[in-house]
Amino acid sequence: MKIIEKYILEDVKMPIIFGVSLFTFIFLIEIIVSLMENIIVKGISLIDVLRILSFYLPPILSQTIPMGVFLGVMITFSKFTRTSEATAMSSIGMSLKNILKPIIMLASVITLFIFFLQESIIPRSFSKLEEITIKIAYENPVFQLKEKILIDEVDEYSLYIDKIERKTNEAQNVLIFQKDDKATYPTILLGNKAYWKNVNMVLEDSKFYTFNPDGTLKVEGEFKQKKIPLSSYFQEINIEVKDIEAMSIKNLFKSLKDKNKVEKIPYLVEINRKIAIPLSTVVLAVLGVLLSIGHHRSGKGASFGISLAVIFIYIVFLNIGMVMANRGVVSPYVGVWLPNLLLVGGTLLLYKRKAGGAR
């Protein structure tokens, strides 16, 4: 590799890291706000929150890396133009094709890394995210239970809680119906206060009532403590992530075998999306060079503005195409790949214009 190519790659490294970090933070803001609410209101530990964020990171990176590469390349080559380094490259005989070569090489390696993320890391991240969500619920059932709602999904129990003290994880005014297939009426448990131990609700100083088949009171009593198991309620906890988003391309193809034509559509859309977005990295990297080189007045602000506009347009077209494809209006291939084709077409036109002007 030539010294000048090594220089370009070394210079573009930090701007790309900056660009990826910036776009990743923007994508994470909504998740961070939601998790901060969980820390303050629901008492989730900071360590668990950081772990959740780490598992959200890989799927977000698969989308923000192409954006960060685009911004990083634009910042770097805008600097080359302002400092006349781009002019110096041309003066020593480097054509536009030679200048683009190290950037294309770098973007290709990054594209392979994104595919690695999608096929290996992201499915594991979603699996770990589901595991830690269940762990939090088991350690802190208050995270899932809600006030003034009858919960009828706890084995032989139906549960109603009037008030939950989030700071102390204690419940007040608890009403429980203990169902029995052999009895006409359930046993009623009333508790003024309850707390959680592991996945059990522990009622303190409470009363119970059982009834005869005719509805008359059979037995009335009190107890110091009674454990109500809640484990079955938390076995069905799911994170709000579509199953196909957590699947690798390989597994998506496998899932197509037992689907009819209509059922295949979302899978085909996701397969094409997982291929199209990583491949856009190379096109965006080249476009970043072409848009910034030769524009003496462009700085970081201008580079960010242009990159944001291009990325916004690309995402809008991609999302519209995916929605239309999922509704069967257009083919999944057309809906997902049209934004990439427009990106390639615009890049080729700009390349011909720049290459022609350089002669």
Side-chain angles (χ1 to χ4, degrees), residues 92-330:
I92 62 173
M94 285 189 73
S95 64
L96 184 57
K97 183 179 178 181
N98 297 138
I99 294 172
L100 287 171
K101 182 181 175 182
I103 295 300
I104 292 173
M105 290 170 54
L106 177 62
S108 299
V109 172
I110 292 173
T111 299
L112 292 175
F113 174 71
I114 297 173
F115 279 122
F116 170 73
L117 273 180
Q118 292 184 159
E119 293 303 292
S120 181
I121 305 300
I122 291 176
R124 295 178 189 177
S125 293
F126 280 130
S127 176
K128 292 292 184 181
L129 189 58
E130 187 172 13
E131 286 178 15
I132 194 172
T133 305
I134 294 173
K135 170 185 171 291
I136 291 170
Y138 269 68
E139 291 180 349
N140 185 6
V142 180
F143 178 69
Q144 291 294 327
L145 297 174
K146 296 180 179 179
E147 298 176 346
K148 303 185 188 302
I149 293 178
L150 182 67
I151 299 169
D152 195 25
E153 305 167 13
V154 192
D155 288 337
E156 73 271 25
Y157 298 98
S158 293
L159 174 67
Y160 178 87
I161 300 173
D162 182 53
K163 187 177 180 181
I164 297 175
E165 291 291 342
R166 302 291 179 182
K167 293 182 179 180
T168 60
N169 287 348
E170 291 183 350
Q172 296 177 4
N173 303 327
V174 180
L175 170 62
I176 297 174
F177 298 96
Q178 185 174 0
K179 294 166 266 186
D180 187 346
D181 294 335
K182 297 178 181 180
T184 306
Y185 297 98
T187 299
I188 296 178
L189 308 172
L190 295 174
N192 292 324
K193 188 175 76 171
Y195 64 91
W196 282 266
K197 186 175 182 181
N198 297 324
V199 288
N200 296 309
M201 172 185 280
V202 181
L203 292 175
E204 286 192 334
D205 300 322
S206 301
K207 297 180 180 180
F208 70 90
Y209 304 89
T210 60
F211 300 89
N212 293 308
D214 62 358
T216 57
L217 183 65
K218 181 179 180 181
V219 179
E220 177 183 353
E222 298 180 356
F223 48 80
K224 187 70 176 176
Q225 284 189 345
K226 181 172 178 61
K227 291 183 179 180
I228 308 297
L230 301 176
S231 57
S232 63
Y233 176 65
F234 297 110
Q235 288 173 358
E236 302 300 322
I237 295 171
N238 291 309
I239 54 174
E240 295 182 359
V241 177
K242 294 180 182 178
D243 290 339
I244 59 174
E245 292 180 2
M247 295 171 68
S248 65
I249 296 173
K250 180 181 178 181
N251 289 332
L252 285 168
F253 272 115
K254 286 182 180 179
S255 300
L256 287 174
K257 295 178 182 178
D258 57 348
K259 300 286 188 300
N260 60 41
K261 188 176 180 181
V262 175
E263 291 173 336
K264 285 181 178 180
I265 291 176
Y267 289 84
L268 288 171
V269 171
E270 187 64 19
I271 288 169
N272 284 281
R273 186 188 74 84
K274 286 180 179 290
I275 297 173
I277 290 179
L279 291 180
S280 69
T281 307
V282 177
V283 185
L284 286 169
V286 173
L287 183 61
V289 175
L290 299 176
L291 286 173
S292 53
I293 198 166
H295 294 280
H296 293 274
R297 295 182 180 179
S298 61
K300 283 188 180 181
S303 298
F304 180 71
I306 294 170
S307 63
L308 199 62
V310 172
I311 289 165
F312 177 77
I313 293 169
Y314 175 76
I315 291 175
V316 168
F317 272 84
L318 180 62
N319 286 335
I320 291 173
M322 288 174 62
V323 169
M324 293 177 69
N326 278 314
R327 292 182 178 178
V329 179
V330 298

Side-chain angles (χ1 to χ4, degrees), residues 5-141:
E5 291 177 352
K6 289 183 179 179
Y7 174 75
I8 291 172
L9 291 176
E10 185 65 29
D11 229 46
V12 80
K13 182 171 64 178
M14 291 309 297
I16 286 177
I17 292 173
F18 166 75
V20 173
S21 302
L22 179 64
F23 285 115
T24 301
F25 177 73
I26 292 172
F27 274 59
L28 278 173
I29 287 175
E30 184 179 352
I31 298 171
I32 291 172
V33 170
S34 174
L35 291 177
M36 287 303 295
E37 178 186 349
N38 289 328
I39 293 174
I40 297 169
V41 178
K42 298 178 181 177
I44 300 176
S45 71
L46 182 59
I47 293 175
D48 283 335
V49 168
L50 293 174
R51 289 184 65 194
I52 290 171
L53 281 176
S54 70
F55 297 137
Y56 268 116
L57 205 55
I60 290 174
L61 281 173
S62 68
Q63 301 178 65
T64 59
I65 287 176
M67 304 176 188
V69 169
F70 182 45
L71 176 59
V73 167
M74 286 201 68
I75 290 173
T76 301
F77 280 86
S78 294
K79 189 204 79 171
F80 285 166
T81 298
R82 291 194 313 274
T83 58
S84 299
E85 289 175 271
T87 304
M89 291 176 191
S90 299
S91 66
I92 62 173
M94 285 189 73
S95 64
L96 184 57
K97 183 179 178 181
N98 297 138
I99 294 172
L100 287 171
K101 182 181 175 182
I103 295 300
I104 292 173
M105 290 170 54
L106 177 62
S108 299
V109 172
I110 292 173
T111 299
L112 292 175
F113 174 71
I114 297 173
F115 279 122
F116 170 73
L117 273 180
Q118 292 184 159
E119 293 303 292
S120 181
I121 305 300
I122 291 176
R124 295 178 189 177
S125 293
F126 280 130
S127 176
K128 292 292 184 181
L129 189 58
E130 187 172 13
E131 286 178 15
I132 194 172
T133 305
I134 294 173
K135 170 185 171 291
I136 291 170
Y138 269 68
E139 291 180 349
N140 185 6

